Amino acid sequence: TRTSGIEKTNLGIRMILIMYVDRNTFVVYWKVEQFKPEDNVAGPFTEESTFATLFPKYREKYLREVWGTVTKALETHGVACTLDLIHGSMSVRTTRKTYDPYIILKARDMIKLLARGVNVNQAVKILDDAVACDIIKIGNLVRNTERFVKRRQRIIGPDGSTLKAIELLTGCYVLVQGNTVSAMGPYKSLKEVRRIVIDCMKNIHPIYRIKELMIRRELAKDPKLVNENWDRFLPKFRKRNLTSAEKSAKRREKEATKGSANSAASGANAVNGAGGVGVVESGPSKTAPPTKKKIYTPFPPPQLPRKASLLFLIPGTSEFVLLTIGWLCDDMLCCRRLTCNSSLESISSSRRKGKRKRRNESDNR
């Protein structure tokens, strides 16, 4: 007999198809079986597939030491590998002994992880069918170098505590190296790791996602909540840091709602007054007059006309008048009056000297 059922979880719906042979034996059809050499009915591959990747200079010494381990791990699957120290590259290719058509892609991921700084004992695990990898590029997400370094450090946390929490909650291996973050683990967990890393580079701290994962982990243990929505249990964090465009949009929205409320109130008062009901109408609404928006121009303002200043002595007084003559507007003169005692003293002293000089000259004659 054949029976089928649907298992509904919070992460999605998966189909289960089970065939019962007898009371004690049954076959689960959705389970992924390991690909064996006898499963390759077509025989050896007709074409050779190859992949290559570059590695940085500082990884050369380590790769030379562990390349024997890499070769042995790939030989069991019938894949050949070469290490080119002159060009700084690693390559993998299929051979006549290769029986799994997908293993070449796994080998490609393995040399990529080795180039990104993953340990060889960890990178070999990618050859398993249940393990996948994701190399997240974070170098082009933040322009400022200092800001990029600080946000990358948030993924690691103090003494690696944040990174350890991410690994425990997702079941993935995570390595932060340079401009990339390498992750290894189940497919569903890799999505969570990518979400945490990208949100961290967008200035959302990883602790918020970690808290959400912890709540989901506890809710999954309760069988009563399997078929219920978990949104009411999950925290909702409000974004506090707004951009200038978001602030302007929020201010315009407030002004629009305030204007509509004022117009509705004034209309209601007018209707009540027309109906003869003794309601006192409110005064004019105190709305700010519309300000004219200045038109931006790259040119400086026009130069004002030149001004001429003249200093006159008022006869019989000790005051001077400073006349500033200029065209500040159309056919308009402006003058300013001020007292200059120092100038008066200097002029009077020079006059006395001139009188004495003329007297001496007349006496000598």
Side-chain angles (χ1 to χ4, degrees), residues 242-285:
L242 302 177
T243 61
S244 58
E246 291 173 345
K247 289 179 182 177
S248 302
K250 199 171 184 180
R251 186 174 63 253
R252 285 194 296 269
E253 184 180 354
K254 284 185 178 179
E255 291 176 356
T257 53
K258 189 176 180 182
S260 61
N262 291 336
S263 61
S266 60
N269 291 332
V271 170
N272 292 334
V277 184
V279 178
V280 180
E281 293 185 4
S282 61
S285 59

Side-chain angles (χ1 to χ4, degrees), residues 211-213 215-216 219 230-236:
K211 187 175 181 180
E212 183 180 339
L213 288 175
I215 295 173
R216 286 180 179 273
L219 291 174
W230 293 352
D231 290 341
R232 56 194 175 97
F233 300 105
L234 300 177
K236 295 177 177 61

Side-chain angles (χ1 to χ4, degrees), residues 97-233:
K97 297 180 180 178
T98 307
Y99 59 89
D100 188 357
Y102 190 72
I103 197 63
I104 186 64
L105 300 179
K106 291 282 189 176
R108 177 202 62 184
D109 294 340
M110 180 179 174
I111 60 175
K112 279 186 178 181
L113 292 171
L114 289 172
R116 293 316 310 151
V118 180
N119 190 12
V120 64
N121 296 328
Q122 183 67 35
V124 169
K125 296 178 183 179
I126 196 64
L127 299 176
D128 188 6
D129 290 335
V131 181
C133 74
D134 188 10
I135 298 177
I136 308 164
K137 296 181 181 180
I138 59 175
N140 56 354
L141 297 179
V142 182
R143 293 184 180 181
N144 193 342
T145 306
E146 296 180 1
R147 195 175 299 167
F148 168 75
V149 172
K150 288 181 181 179
R151 294 183 184 179
R152 185 182 61 182
Q153 186 62 30
R154 283 185 202 167
I155 304 173
I156 303 173
D159 298 330
S161 58
T162 306
L163 192 66
K164 191 66 177 176
I166 295 172
E167 290 181 348
L168 290 174
L169 291 171
T170 59
C172 296
Y173 171 82
V174 183
L175 176 68
V176 181
Q177 178 76 17
N179 293 332
T180 58
V181 177
S182 304
M184 293 176 58
Y187 289 96
K188 292 181 180 179
S189 299
L190 290 177
K191 292 182 180 179
E192 295 292 341
V193 174
R194 174 173 279 273
R195 179 188 175 193
I196 292 172
V197 171
I198 293 178
D199 286 350
C200 182
M201 301 309 293
K202 291 181 179 179
N203 204 19
I204 300 175
H205 202 278
I207 192 64
Y208 299 121
R209 304 302 180 196
I210 290 173
K211 187 175 181 180
E212 183 180 339
L213 288 175
M214 291 175 66
I215 295 173
R216 286 180 179 273
R217 190 175 184 179
E218 293 298 324
L219 291 174
K221 296 178 182 178
D222 192 356
K224 298 179 181 178
L225 300 175
V226 172
N227 298 324
E228 293 187 12
N229 191 5
W230 293 352
D231 290 341
R232 56 194 175 97
F233 300 105

Side-chain angles (χ1 to χ4, degrees), residues 355-365:
K355 286 181 181 180
R356 289 173 189 170
K357 190 174 181 181
R358 286 193 294 271
R359 254 182 226 163
N360 295 333
E361 287 177 358
S362 61
D363 294 339
N364 291 334
R365 289 175 187 174

Side-chain angles (χ1 to χ4, degrees), residues 26-66:
F26 58 91
V27 180
V28 182
Y29 276 89
W30 53 265
K31 184 180 179 181
V32 179
E33 297 290 343
Q34 186 180 1
F35 197 86
K36 298 178 181 179
E38 54 268 18
D39 296 330
N40 186 16
V41 184
F45 302 151
T46 56
E47 295 289 337
E48 181 184 279
S49 300
T50 179
F51 292 98
T53 184
L54 300 174
F55 60 87
K57 184 69 176 178
Y58 65 88
R59 294 288 292 173
E60 180 180 339
K61 182 180 178 182
Y62 177 77
L63 290 175
R64 278 192 295 178
E65 294 175 357
V66 302

